[in-house]
Amino acid sequence: MNIYLCSQSRRPFEFGRTHVVRPKGKHQATIVWLHGLSDKGSSWSQLLETLPLPNIKWICPTAPTRPVAIFGGYPCTAWFDVGDLSEDGPDDLEGLDASAAHVANLLSTEPADIKLGIGGFSMGAAIALYSATCRILGQYGNGNPYSVNLSAIVGLSGWLPCSRTLKSRMEGSREATRRAASLPILLCHGSGDDVVAYKHGERSAQTLNSVGFRDLTFRCYNGVGHYTVPEEMDEVRNWLTARLELEGLRA
């Protein structure tokens, strides 16, 4: 179990069990996949194991159990505290940084020739997108350096944390703009989502595009709620295969 301490409050973040799905073919990429609110890593590792992506190693951690404002302070697994499942709510920078650092730590021991990515569903997608902004800015929200070189980001039914300050943080940084332009992002959202409304996913995509994320794909699934469907996972498979230049079962 990994524990991260915030220097200001010294509040511990105790992460749960991590589940790993080993590649069935030649290992070309490693992706950390993050579950949604009140879920666990094993829920997604079982699904990802069935995807025909033999060159990917999947790492599925479990979030800390903590009081969550949207549930009136009731504790559940959550990557950060949240009072509103959208970009409109207050941002728990301490929680966001701790979870992004946990993900970066999981990727830091991968071989140098392996492409690295982060994906997630709902709140997990929020951490994936937050990690993308940390990557292009070269630092976490608290100013500590972010050094993981990401090659792909996938967000399903999620939103972009800290969207209100992203543009101002990027202003004047040519390096951040260059990194944003070269980082592929796939966002998928159901039009019938009644948990994280479709408009929040669409707005997050617009914000990312406006600050320079040029290789961004946004897919809408008509009538789909806050869950995944086979067509969506097919899109994820095809997109990852193309963006990460995966070989399939040939090696």
Side-chain angles (χ1 to χ4, degrees), residues 202-224:
E202 186 177 44
R203 194 182 303 163
S204 295
Q206 292 169 350
T207 298
L208 288 166
N209 189 262
S210 71
V211 298
F213 285 91
R214 300 297 178 224
D215 191 357
L216 188 149
T217 302
F218 182 77
R219 291 281 185 262
C220 169
Y221 292 85
N222 289 327
V224 173

Side-chain angles (χ1 to χ4, degrees), residues 15-21 31-50 58-65 76-79 102 106 119-121 124:
F15 291 84
R17 183 178 176 187
T18 296
H19 301 261
V20 177
V21 179
I31 296 177
V32 173
W33 191 273
L34 305 166
H35 62 75
L37 184 62
S38 196
D39 202 357
K40 55 187 177 181
S42 60
S43 298
W44 280 94
S45 66
Q46 293 167 15
L47 172 62
L48 295 169
E49 192 166 17
T50 67
W58 300 96
I59 302 177
C60 303
T62 299
T65 297
C76 67
T77 52
W79 300 109
H102 182 64
L106 291 171
F121 175 78

Side-chain angles (χ1 to χ4, degrees), residues 111-201:
D113 62 336
I114 299 300
K115 296 176 181 177
L116 307 177
I118 304 173
F121 175 78
S122 190
M123 177 179 266
I127 287 293
L129 292 178
Y130 182 72
S131 297
T133 64
C134 292
R135 162 59 186 158
I136 65 161
L137 292 166
Q139 62 182 20
Y140 296 94
N142 60 17
N144 290 339
Y146 187 95
S147 56
V148 178
N149 185 19
L150 299 174
S151 296
I153 299 290
V154 178
L156 310 182
S157 306
W159 72 95
L160 173 65
C162 304
S163 62
R164 294 181 295 270
T165 60
L166 181 58
K167 189 170 185 178
S168 63
R169 293 184 68 199
M170 285 189 62
E171 284 180 353
S173 175
R174 291 184 179 178
E175 181 64 16
T177 302
R178 184 189 66 79
R179 288 176 176 174
S182 62
L183 178 55
I185 297 180
L186 171 66
L187 299 180
C188 302
H189 217 110
S191 66
D193 195 327
D194 58 355
V195 178
V196 180
Y198 172 81
K199 66 179 181 180
H200 298 307

Side-chain angles (χ1 to χ4, degrees), residues 61-107:
T62 299
T65 297
R66 69 176 79 205
V68 177
I70 200 171
F71 293 149
Y74 185 82
C76 67
T77 52
W79 300 109
F80 52 95
D81 191 17
V82 62
D84 183 14
L85 296 181
S86 76
E87 75 278 15
D88 295 328
D91 293 307
D92 173 21
L93 277 176
E94 183 183 342
L96 287 163
D97 279 345
S99 289
H102 182 64
V103 172
N105 183 59
L106 291 171
L107 290 171

